[in-house]
Amino acid sequence: MRQRSPEIWRSIRDSAVGLMAERGFDAVSVDDIVATAGISRRTYFNYFAGKESVLFDPDPDDPRLWAELTGARPPDEPLWTALHQLILGYTAATAERMIRQHRVLRASPELAVCSREVCDRFWDAVRHWALSRDAATTGLRLDLLINTARTVLSTVLPRWDTETGIAGLHRLIDEGFALLQSPEWTTS
């Protein structure tokens, strides 16, 4: 099998997301995408399984980015703090993509289910990193910390106004993490 070009992958994705942001997901066909990207249908389907995947498949460099982000966390940093910083780092590194995808999602809410696959891959990478980082944090504690951090992100995303940029999303993420550490939350 021939090696796929990350540049072509991104060019196709950028063409598709641009069209979807302009017209809406349902109004864009694969034929529209291939015409805009200047490629054949065969090339499109060599890179993407369908119309949803062009919007939600992880970037070919995402695994490298996840490794860089997790590798940059100090070994003695509390896991909860590291998870917070990983979310901020990943959303900052993918800010433009997140803003464009979020705008398409707002116009077509039924697509929200499709976006979970990318999140699953990110959280799988985070869990693998956490297990290798701290053998003492396993099982229920690890899963609760990761799933709670994941819930912060999934709870704030629908409240995010992309007009506030990635800084607005980061304020919501910080607020969510702070709320979970507040005395009102832990004593109620």
Side-chain angles (χ1 to χ4, degrees), residues 40 66 91 116:
S40 69
W66 302 335
T91 55
R116 291 190 183 125

Side-chain angles (χ1 to χ4, degrees), residues 15-96:
S15 295
V17 174
L19 286 172
M20 291 172 189
E22 179 184 311
R23 299 184 198 167
F25 180 82
D26 294 330
V28 174
S29 69
V30 170
D31 289 331
D32 294 331
I33 297 167
V34 300
T36 300
I39 59 167
S40 69
R41 283 180 63 86
R42 181 178 178 165
T43 298
Y44 178 88
F45 286 109
N46 281 335
Y47 283 86
F48 298 98
K51 194 167 81 166
E52 291 85 3
S53 63
V54 77
L55 191 58
F56 297 114
D57 282 0
D59 186 282
D61 283 340
D62 274 356
R64 178 197 51 77
L65 172 61
W66 302 335
E68 286 177 9
L69 291 169
T70 55
R73 302 311 324 145
D76 59 343
E77 182 177 51
L79 183 56
W80 183 246
T81 303
L83 293 170
H84 184 179
Q85 294 307 309
L86 287 170
I87 292 171
L88 293 175
Y90 183 60
T91 55
T94 60
E96 182 181 328

Side-chain angles (χ1 to χ4, degrees), residues 159-181:
R159 292 164 173 74
W160 175 37
D161 176 0
T162 56
E163 297 303 316
T164 64
I166 208 68
L169 177 59
H170 286 180
R171 281 190 295 278
L172 290 170
I173 292 167
D174 290 343
E175 184 180 338
F177 273 82
L179 174 63
L180 291 174
Q181 294 175 306

